[in-house]
């Protein structure tokens, strides 16, 4: 590598720092010696220019709108793969053979049941609890049930925890939904494939068989593929940070669920649908764009913009195309799709959005498809969490397989009071 160091010159001295090169993407400056050699930290709120780790799982080129899972383009995986195969790919690093896929699918299928006591846990919630609250709490509680997967240094236990999380997330998510609408919880049916099984747990009622349109399962499987991983996003970085303390996999993933819930992250898909419903009609789109440009309004176009993508989010392109096809095949006519298309068209022509390179992201269109699949708005971020569990646990395992992994502990720029002495209460 030419010139494998970079020299920084502070007021009175220079320091040479090594460059770290990956297989793709920009090189990074290894600043481990920076404080020792210069007395300075770096300052990067939001970590916009900071690599927190080395990872071989997902690569994003935000300028070109490229997304690779273990080197495979998201467009090819969306077209040719299925979610459970993508989960295997993220975990193991390679596409499975037939035998490997059969074994993996069998393992997931036989870990889909949740402990019966978890039903009581869910029943402890008020009926109108947000399903993300129920999911976050329930996943954190799994460490109370599965003591045989708490030794984070045992590769076999790490792998079994991964299988359990991928397998049980849909069961617990569906149970939370059913509880919130007062329906009996449905047990997972092992004769069904992963996504179809989930839809049955969500929508089947004792009184009649569920006639599920296969288009729905395919559409949801595709959305799960698109949401499965995304490098060091806020929730994945949270899982890594919590995992770096030695916390168990269930607590680490529960922390990821909590981080995903925010409207700036995974909660955006729920916020988008509420925003589209609020706009209501394509003729109000210009007013919404004007509000989004007005800093005083505090309003943002939810589903627009991205920390990394300064081009179209490749996932948004795929989901936009899916919208037309899925709604047509399901015979759904949703006026909000027209609002979304008009909103995208208006924003992409507007200097404010062009200048800031704000494009639709993965959350902009996904809610329209979830709605067509009769998934309630409050469950949209739960859908994101089910899919992202594969990425979260793949990163959690990768971190534990990294020999020099250390506890995450950023520093700060202190802006508080200088040292001062305590004053007794009667003297203040
Ligand atoms: C996800 O990181 C990932 O990979 C996340 C994700 C994944 O798969 O894990 O891709 C999933 O979280 C997608 C993002 C979902 N969030 C939203 O759609 C919420 C709306 N978008 C934003 O709030 C914002 O764009 C973020 C949070 C996504 C990115 O925030 P940044 O990178 O910190 O950008 P910023 O807030 O500094 O904005 C830069 C400028 C600002 O204007 P100026 O101060 O320069 O004048 O762009 C403006 C912002 O005001 N801006 C927007 C906007 N997003 C940014 N203005 C209007 N509407 C928006 N949506």
């Amino acid at each position: 590598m030419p010139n494998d160091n970079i020299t920084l010159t502070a007021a009175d001295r220079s320091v040479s720092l090594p460059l770290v090169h990956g297989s793709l993407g920009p090189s990074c400056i290894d600043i481990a010696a920076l404080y020792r050699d210069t007395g300075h930290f770096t300052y990067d709120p939001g970590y916009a220019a900071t690599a927190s780790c080395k990872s071989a799982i997902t690569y994003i080129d935000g300028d070109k709108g490229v997304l690779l899972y273990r080197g495979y383009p998201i467009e090819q995986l969306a077209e040719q793969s299925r979610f459970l195969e993508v989960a295997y790919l993220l975990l193991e690093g390679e596409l499975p053979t037939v035998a490997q896929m059969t074994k993996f699918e069998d393992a997931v299928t036989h870990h889909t049941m949740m402990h019966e006591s978890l039903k009581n846990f869910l029943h402890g919630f008020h009926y109108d609890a947000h399903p993300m609250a129920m999911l976050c709490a329930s996943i954190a509680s799994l460490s109370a049930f599965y003591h045989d997967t708490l030794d984070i240094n045992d590769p076999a236990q790490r792998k079994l925890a991964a299988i359990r999380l991928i397998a049980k997330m849909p069961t617990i998510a569906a149970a939370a939904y059913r509880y919130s609408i007062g329906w009996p919880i449905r047990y997972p049916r092992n004769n069904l494939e992963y996504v179809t099984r989930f839809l049955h747990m969500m929508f089947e009622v004792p009184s009649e068989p569920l006639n599920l349109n296969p288009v729905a399962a395919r559409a949801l499987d595709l959305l799960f593929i698109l949401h499965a991983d995304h490098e060091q996003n806020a929730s994945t970085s949270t899982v890594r940070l919590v995992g770096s303390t030695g916390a168990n996999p269930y607590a680490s993933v529960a922390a990821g669920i909590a981080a995903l819930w925010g409207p700036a992250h995974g909660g955006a898909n729920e916020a988008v649908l509420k925003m589209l419903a609020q706009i209501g009609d394509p003729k109000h789109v210009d007013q919404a764009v004007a509000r989004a440009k007005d800093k005083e309004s505090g309003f943002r176009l939810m589903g627009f913009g991205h920390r990394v993508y300064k081009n179209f989010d490749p996932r948004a392109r795929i989901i936009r195309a899916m919208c037309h096809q899925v709604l047509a095949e399901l015979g759904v006519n949703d006026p909000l799709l027209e609002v979304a298309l008009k909103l995208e068209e208006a924003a992409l022509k507007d200097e404010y959005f062009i200048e800031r390179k704000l494009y639709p992201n993965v959350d902009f269109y996904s809610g329209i498809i979830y709605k067509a699949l009769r998934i309630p708005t409050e469950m949209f971020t739960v859908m994101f969490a089910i899919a992202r569990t594969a990425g979260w646990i793949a990163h959690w395992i990768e971190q534990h397989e990294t020999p020099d992994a250390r506890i995450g502990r950023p520093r700060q720029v202190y802006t508080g009071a200088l040292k001062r002495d305590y004053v007794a209460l009667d003297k203040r």
Side-chain angles (χ1 to χ4, degrees), residues 48 60 226-227 229-236 260 262-269 271-272 291-293 295 299-310 313 315 352-353 355-356 358 361-364 384 388:
I60 302 172
L226 298 174
H227 286 80
D229 193 52
H230 212 236
E231 198 217 66
Q232 303 308 320
N233 58 86
S235 55
T236 301
L260 185 74
H265 189 14
N269 57 17
V272 166
R291 272 185 69 210
K293 292 158 58 176
K295 297 277 188 254
F299 172 74
R300 285 193 165 188
L301 287 193
M302 300 314 279
F304 251 81
H306 199 277
R307 171 62 59 76
V308 178
Y309 288 123
K310 300 308 170 191
D313 181 334
R315 302 167 297 177
Y352 173 95
F353 290 84
E355 189 187 313
R356 292 167 178 78
L358 302 174
N361 59 48
V362 69
D363 294 306
F364 189 65
F384 199 145
R388 190 53 58 89

Side-chain angles (χ1 to χ4, degrees), residues 32-55:
L34 185 70
Y35 179 60
R36 185 198 64 200
D37 294 353
T38 68
H40 295 303
F41 290 142
T42 56
Y43 178 61
D44 182 19
Y47 312 115
T50 294
S52 60
C53 62
K54 291 178 181 174
S55 177

Side-chain angles (χ1 to χ4, degrees), residues 11 14 39-40 61 67 87 101 172 185 201 259 265 270 280 284 327 348 383 414:
S14 291
H40 295 303
D61 181 327
L67 170 57
M101 191 61 216
I172 295 170
I185 286 173
M201 289 189 283
H265 189 14
E270 181 178 344
H284 300 147
L327 269 61
L348 293 184
M383 298 302 109
Y414 176 68

Side-chain angles (χ1 to χ4, degrees), residues 339-355:
V339 176
L341 291 166
K342 279 274 183 247
L343 190 56
E344 176 192 338
E345 184 191 343
L348 293 184
K349 282 192 300 203
D350 189 289
E351 201 40 50
Y352 173 95
F353 290 84
I354 294 168
E355 189 187 313

